């Protein structure tokens, strides 16, 4: 299927929004820019009541630029030009789609209590480590309730920073097995310390 969006697209921010949709749907695209002088456009629109609208559009118009990823590939066509069908077909059917990024991908679905459990379990691990620091020394291995692995002694300020990082990562890559959160957090902490 081919979608042709015949629109003014005169503002580059709007073209960028369309590009984000393209990335989200992971489909190739191209931009065909019909370049016409202001005089010719005015001539075509004589007799219409839209003269003031045309002048406003001309003033606000931001021409496509092939150096912008959202305007590329760009085919600029003038009135007397013939359409480069083969190049357009190549752009649509032989080119890879732009890869999605975090901002254009749907967030993974997780159970309704996942974020609550994530916060609770990591806070419990944090409290167990802080409590153990009262009786342990740097280099000691500490047992954590709910985790099979032990954790090395960690400074409190670093522990809080690593917890925030782990929560941010795990929100984007949730686990189906909530019972593994404590182990995953302990593994993350141990790996971050070495």
């Amino acid at each position: 299927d081919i979608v042709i969006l015949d629109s003014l697209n005169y503002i580059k921010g709007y073209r960028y929004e369309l590009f984000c949709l393209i990335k989200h749907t992971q489909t190739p695209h191209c931009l065909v820019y019909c370049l016409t002088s202001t005089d010719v456009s005015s001539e075509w629109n004589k007799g219409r009541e839209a003269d003031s609208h045309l002048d406003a559009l001309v003033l606000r118009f931001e021409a496509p630029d092939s150096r912008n990823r959202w305007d590329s590939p760009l085919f600029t066509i003038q009135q007397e030009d013939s359409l480069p069908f083969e190049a357009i077909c190549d752009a649509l059917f032989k080119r890879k789609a732009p890869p999605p990024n975090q901002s254009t991908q749907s967030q993974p679905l997780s159970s309704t209590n996942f974020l609550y459990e994530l916060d609770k379990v990591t806070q419990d691990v944090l409290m167990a480590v802080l409590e153990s620091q009262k009786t342990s020394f740097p280099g000691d291995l500490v047992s954590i309730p709910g985790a099979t692995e032990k954790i090395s002694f960690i400074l409190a300020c670093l522990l809080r920073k690593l917890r925030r990082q782990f929560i941010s990562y795990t929100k984007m890559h949730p686990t189906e097995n909530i019972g593994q959160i404590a182990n995953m957090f302990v593994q993350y902490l141990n790996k971050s310390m070495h």
Side-chain angles (χ1 to χ4, degrees), residues 70-86:
W70 55 88
D71 288 339
S72 181
L74 173 64
F75 299 97
T76 302
I77 310 298
Q78 295 186 359
Q79 183 182 1
E80 61 278 355
D81 293 344
S82 58
L83 212 54
F85 290 111
E86 192 170 327

Side-chain angles (χ1 to χ4, degrees), residues 14-95:
Y14 179 66
R15 291 192 304 270
Y16 178 74
E17 289 293 323
L18 291 174
F19 178 72
C20 288
L21 288 171
I22 288 162
K23 287 181 75 156
H24 177 72
T25 57
Q26 298 180 16
T27 186
H29 77 289
C30 71
L31 182 66
V32 178
Y33 171 37
C34 300
L35 178 61
T36 306
S37 70
T38 306
D39 294 336
V40 171
S41 295
S42 295
E43 185 66 34
W44 287 347
N45 287 285
K46 268 189 181 173
R48 292 186 179 177
E49 297 176 17
D51 281 344
S52 63
H53 294 292
L54 181 64
D55 292 339
L57 285 172
V58 169
L59 287 174
R60 289 186 301 216
F61 183 72
E62 297 172 299
D65 183 350
S66 63
R67 293 174 293 183
N68 295 330
R69 64 188 183 277
W70 55 88
D71 288 339
S72 181
L74 173 64
F75 299 97
T76 302
I77 310 298
Q78 295 186 359
Q79 183 182 1
E80 61 278 355
D81 293 344
S82 58
L83 212 54
F85 290 111
E86 192 170 327
I88 292 172
C89 282
D90 287 350
L92 294 175
F93 298 113
K94 295 182 180 175
R95 216 179 91 216

Side-chain angles (χ1 to χ4, degrees), residues 121 125 144-150 166 178-190:
V121 169
V125 170
I144 302 296
T148 57
E149 294 191 29
K150 294 184 177 185
F166 177 79
I178 292 175
Q180 288 296 312
I181 293 175
N183 246 0
M184 290 168 53
F185 186 41
V186 169
Q187 290 171 357
Y188 179 80
L189 292 173
N190 283 332

